[in-house]
Amino acid sequence: MGLFNVFKNKYNNTNQKVITLEDCIEKMFATDGIEPNREDKVFITGVHGKYCTFQVALSVVKSKGLLIHLRFPIPVKENVACAVNYEVVRIGKETVEKSPMTQVCLSGRNEWYNIVVVTMKEFEELTDNTPDEIREMMLDAVKVVDNDRFTSLAAAIYGYKSYEEAKMNVQANSKGENNASVQLNDGYDELLNETPNLSKSRCLGRLVRFADIKMKVKRDDSLNERAAKALKKSFDSFIQEAYNIANEEERDLIRKLRYLSMAKDEDEINEDDFALGKEDALRSLLALGDPQSLLYDDGSADYANMSEEEKLYKVLGTSRYNESPYSQGSLGEGMTLVRQAIDGYCKPRYLMDDDAKCAYEFMSEREQLVAVTDDDIDWGSLEGLSEKVVDIVKCRAFVFPGDIYHYENGVAEVRWEINPDGRFYCDEDGFGITNDKEINLYGVIDRKGKVVKKFTLEK
């Protein structure tokens, strides 16, 4: 007789065992060959996600009620909880629209908070399919904070625009009991050291004007109606409406502005500073077209008149670009090279002209040469090279070790490695070495990183 044949029995058999929800859970685990930790009516197990293992608890409530509970493995510090909650609410809204039974929230008190996913379902009847249904509910609960949502939450918790920006320093591994081992420089703390000493009111003014402009640009009547209702409810409810329609970079800006406002020890809002903050946002967004200046602009007229090169120089002068994964070194003649560690190699990212107080991006974060064009390459010298190597040049890929040498008379030589020698591919024990020969292109750039002598094959 099958486990659930009791529900199919046409006769009243008082000796027949009544199948419970605990039995369904046990069958689900037994089918998967899993031995969960169990305490009375609570089952705890680990579910592997893309970046870590989530600890999931299944509880039986009132005989036929199932409660699935899990905590996001990275805790949230109290001083950034308000900023992180924007991302939690955004994900929660998306989740409820697809699965009304599941809620996502930020809970806790004192110094630490936790992001929690809770799914609750009352089963009208238990059938042969109930164990499979429980399994799917458990996996769906994990999916709520896995994959792209794991990365967006991690970025929000640590104060970065994206997981890509922080991935070199992030390692999240569950140690059980909903704890995670994670090491990463705190982007919020770094921001606080780099930004102007603006008041809480001025930061809030910038934030509310940015949110208002963001929603008006959308030109959505239903959004404006929701925003008006949200503003009556609370400041953060209003900001949340803008956050929900923002892109990745704009969401990062909203979180950081909210964090800065919370970091200021002020109880009352200064209306004059609040108005100045709104004016700052209007100028930055409409005149400069640079939302990020809301973080680094001190509100002075000088910043408004700065060129993009001058703004970049100012940003590169902050502490963030003097610490890992960045480093700075002199190239002579008042030029500084900002390097970034990527895949174990220090790559040339930015050029800083300390005399002109301007900076220029030499290589993008995706390891592509920014200022090099087709006209800057001696294509004739590449004849005879493999198609694979030529494709690297066509893509402007700076994926292998290379460098910018010292300046002399306003120019500097650049070595662009387009194929490494065979030792590049071997491991630390020397295994895996290939027959590849090192191939380099050499060119010359000026103080702005512009090519003044074409890149040509080493002779």
Side-chain angles (χ1 to χ4, degrees), residues 90-107:
R90 184 184 75 86
I91 291 174
K93 180 176 181 292
E94 292 179 350
T95 301
V96 168
E97 289 173 353
K98 294 181 179 180
S99 176
M101 297 182 297
T102 302
Q103 301 286 329
V104 185
C105 63
L106 191 63
S107 68

Side-chain angles (χ1 to χ4, degrees), residues 299-315:
S300 68
D302 289 341
Y303 190 87
N305 296 325
M306 281 184 180
S307 66
E308 293 301 317
E309 294 76 18
E310 289 173 320
K311 291 177 186 176
L312 181 58
Y313 183 88
K314 184 175 182 179
V315 171

Side-chain angles (χ1 to χ4, degrees), residues 357-393:
K357 306 300 180 187
C358 291
Y360 310 89
E361 187 176 29
F362 176 77
M363 183 195 76
S364 73
E365 192 170 17
R366 294 185 176 182
E367 300 177 273
Q368 290 180 307
L369 296 180
V370 173
V372 177
T373 68
D374 282 349
D375 294 336
D376 297 325
I377 298 169
D378 178 8
W379 295 102
S381 70
L382 305 184
E383 293 181 3
L385 296 182
S386 68
E387 183 178 348
K388 176 183 175 182
V389 172
V390 174
D391 284 343
I392 291 175
V393 180

